Amino acid sequence: MEGSYARFAAMIATATVIMFGLMYLTAYQLNHVFWSETRAYMALVMGATMAVVMLVYMRHMYKDRKINLAIYCASVVVFAGALFLARSQTTVDDVSWMKAMIPHHSIAILTSERAQITDPRTRELADEIIDSQRREIEEMKVLIQELESR
């Protein structure tokens, strides 16, 4: 059965959007979820990788060598570009950085609070992390409002 390249593209795009959303599932609470450029770049890295892997496994369905080569090349470009942007943070400004850090801090709260910690020293460290991350999240929310209202 010959595959539709439009359907393949829709599959990759859908999966990339889903992967982006899945990255927020470990946020401690819903109001800690903010748009994150870095997470978007990482979703593109995963989507580009998935396009290559899926095309390799389904090459019997997608037989046009020129289109396949174009998909491989585009995937490499998207992968490299998104990885560069994620690692360099060149497009991330004050507000973007805080909006990315809030979900990150939220994950630290979740894992620190729910981990089965039995050592008292480790529990003390986890509790300190919970307190500091909550304070920093609130501070970042205030700063975001101030900076966005300018």
Side-chain angles (χ1 to χ4, degrees):
M1 180 179 153
E2 218 40 57
S4 159
Y5 284 100
R7 186 178 180 123
F8 180 82
M11 218 173 12
I12 298 301
T14 301
T16 301
V17 169
I18 290 169
M19 286 184 280
F20 174 77
L22 290 174
M23 285 188 260
Y24 288 98
L25 289 180
T26 53
Y28 182 69
Q29 52 193 65
L30 193 56
N31 70 351
H32 291 172
V33 174
F34 287 83
W35 167 259
S36 168
E37 287 180 49
T38 302
R39 280 179 171 78
Y41 299 145
M42 290 311 299
L44 289 171
V45 164
M46 290 183 277
T49 302
M50 192 171 91
V52 170
V53 170
M54 287 179 67
L55 193 55
V56 166
Y57 275 96
M58 299 189 306
R59 63 184 175 275
H60 65 282
M61 293 175 60
Y62 300 95
K63 296 180 181 179
D64 188 319
R65 289 177 182 244
K66 287 181 183 178
I67 295 175
N68 292 353
L69 182 59
I71 291 170
Y72 291 134
C73 290
S75 295
V76 168
V77 168
V78 169
F79 178 95
L83 185 61
F84 169 78
L85 290 170
R87 292 191 55 82
S88 70
Q89 298 287 289
T90 57
T91 65
V92 177
D93 62 14
D94 299 13
V95 171
S96 299
W97 176 78
M98 287 185 285
K99 286 183 175 182
M101 290 306 293
I102 290 172
H104 173 75
H105 280 38
S106 186
I107 293 167
I109 293 169
L110 178 91
T111 58
S112 297
E113 188 174 279
R114 297 190 180 161
Q116 303 304 305
I117 299 171
T118 57
D119 179 74
R121 297 165 301 174
T122 307
R123 180 74 263 157
E124 182 180 348
L125 177 60
D127 290 342
E128 289 171 10
I129 289 170
I130 292 166
D131 291 340
S132 68
Q133 301 301 286
R134 283 188 171 138
R135 272 193 320 276
E136 290 174 12
I137 286 171
E138 291 311 312
E139 183 179 354
M140 286 186 278
K141 285 181 176 182
V142 168
L143 280 170
I144 288 168
Q145 284 183 329
E146 287 177 14
L147 293 173
E148 286 184 333
S149 67
R150 285 185 185 177

